[in-house]
Amino acid sequence: MEDNKTRINKFLSESGFCSRREADKLIEQGRVTINGQIPEMGTKVGPDDEVRVNGKLIQEKKENFVYLLFHKPVGIECTTNQSVKGNVVDYINYPERIFPIGRLDKASEGLLLMTNDGDIVNKILRARNNHEKEYIVTVSKPITERFIQRMSNGLPILDTITRKCKVEQISKYTFRIILTQGLNRQIRRMCEYLDYEVTALKRIRIINISLDIPVGKYRELTKKELDDLNSLIEPSSKTEEASLPANNKKGFSGKRNYGTRNR
């Protein structure tokens, strides 16, 4: 029966093998099989189907999910590809298969969430969910009031205008920024547009989860952190349509504030 079937990318994420985005890539690369056949994108699987990735049998949904807060050092790659030197999976060396929620540049440090729960990854990464991420950034020359104003109001990068965001100067060369979108290398590109070079970038918060451990260490999320996180992301759409980026060429289109501001 069709009601008992699940899209292959959702099945892989709910099994704890990888996120849906990573599952889509694996399917495109022909590394996934269903009953020995390479499926098309969007193919559904049922309880009696045999799903394998690179020949390895993927089991049904896990009940014991892992949620880690990791303080990523500079130089570590946010990839599960263990052929990449300095990948985050080998660095943490956790006894169960886990994967990062989103990315943090190799040259950046700070808060990275790791899990085997593909559903929570899916909800956090949705482009329209407006979840806050907070960073401390150091740049190569003195910060001006005009720099703060222009960073706050949106800049043209990657064929779009960045959303309005909160920016606060901390010192001569350092500022705090709170984003609600995750364009590729967004902060670095925004600074480059204004002729500034980022010399250090540290993420200190994702939604309600704040960085509180030394670099290179990890810990499990507390029950309160996880309960609060689930409560805050619960309204998030889980539909395929919601994963499409919004047309934000007019800039700021409204904002919801989650968690505590670490000011």
Side-chain angles (χ1 to χ4, degrees):
M1 291 177 60
E2 196 69 17
D3 288 346
N4 293 333
K5 294 195 171 185
T6 305
R7 284 179 181 267
I8 181 62
N9 63 350
K10 184 179 180 184
F11 174 86
L12 289 173
S13 74
E14 289 186 343
S15 75
F17 186 81
C18 61
S19 69
R20 286 199 201 182
R21 291 185 181 184
E22 192 174 349
D24 287 339
K25 291 179 183 178
L26 293 171
I27 296 163
E28 287 176 357
Q29 293 165 2
R31 295 163 62 186
V32 177
T33 61
I34 302 173
N35 303 325
Q37 303 295 316
I38 296 176
E40 295 180 356
M41 194 72 72
T43 300
K44 293 186 175 183
V45 296
D48 298 326
D49 290 319
E50 181 185 87
V51 177
R52 292 180 180 268
V53 177
N54 297 327
K56 179 183 176 181
L57 181 65
I58 306 303
Q59 302 295 334
E60 277 289 348
K61 183 174 181 177
K62 295 182 179 180
E63 296 299 330
N64 297 319
F65 289 123
V66 174
Y67 306 94
L68 301 182
L69 183 162
F70 173 52
H71 188 159
K72 187 190 91 67
V74 171
I76 297 301
E77 292 264 20
C78 290
T79 178
T80 57
N81 185 349
Q82 292 177 273
S83 66
V84 175
K85 185 178 179 181
N87 70 83
V88 67
V89 174
D90 282 346
Y91 185 92
I92 293 179
N93 195 28
Y94 197 76
E96 294 186 46
R97 181 182 174 87
I98 55 175
F99 42 86
I101 302 178
R103 296 183 59 83
L104 193 57
D105 291 340
K106 182 178 180 179
S108 303
E109 74 162 280
L111 174 56
L112 184 68
L113 298 177
M114 303 284 294
T115 188
N116 57 359
D117 179 356
D119 190 51
I120 201 169
V121 176
N122 192 43
K123 287 192 281 188
I124 290 176
L125 294 185
R126 287 306 189 192
R128 292 182 183 174
N129 287 340
N130 298 338
H131 298 323
E132 288 188 349
K133 290 169 288 185
E134 184 171 351
Y135 303 81
I136 302 296
V137 186
T138 304
V139 289
S140 56
K141 60 184 184 181
I143 294 166
T144 64
E145 187 176 329
R146 178 169 171 76
F147 172 85
I148 297 294
Q149 184 180 51
R150 295 194 69 188
M151 288 284 287
S152 302
N153 287 324
L155 293 169
I157 63 169
L158 298 173
D159 299 320
T160 189
I161 304 294
T162 58
R163 291 179 191 159
K164 284 189 176 183
C165 59
K166 299 174 186 176
V167 184
E168 175 189 39
Q169 185 169 354
I170 295 175
S171 66
K172 187 175 181 180
Y173 296 94
T174 304
F175 66 93
R176 180 193 317 275
I177 183 169
I178 300 175
L179 300 179
T180 57
Q181 65 186 141
L183 302 176
N184 183 30
R185 298 173 63 85
Q186 179 172 344
I187 295 172
R188 295 178 188 275
R189 291 179 191 273
M190 290 171 73
C191 290
E192 286 170 7
Y193 183 84
L194 298 176
D195 200 27
Y196 281 73
E197 180 186 352
V198 171
T199 59
L201 191 155
K202 181 178 183 179
R203 184 160 65 197
I204 62 171
R205 179 169 63 88
I206 299 174
I207 313 178
N208 66 305
I209 311 295
S210 295
L211 187 65
D212 61 357
I213 54 175
V215 64
K217 302 296 184 182
Y218 68 84
R219 67 167 175 82
E220 293 185 358
L221 294 188
T222 66
K223 183 178 185 305
K224 184 178 188 312
E225 285 173 328
L226 189 57
D227 288 348
D228 288 349
L229 178 63
N230 277 313
S231 175
L232 291 167
I233 65 177
E234 190 55 39
S236 304
S237 173
K238 293 165 64 178
T239 64
E240 294 298 324
E241 181 184 357
S243 66
L244 299 173
N247 181 353
N248 61 351
K249 290 188 177 181
K250 292 183 179 180
F252 183 60
S253 60
K255 183 167 186 160
R256 297 168 65 181
N257 297 319
Y258 296 112
T260 327
R261 293 189 189 90
N262 300 332
R263 292 194 177 276

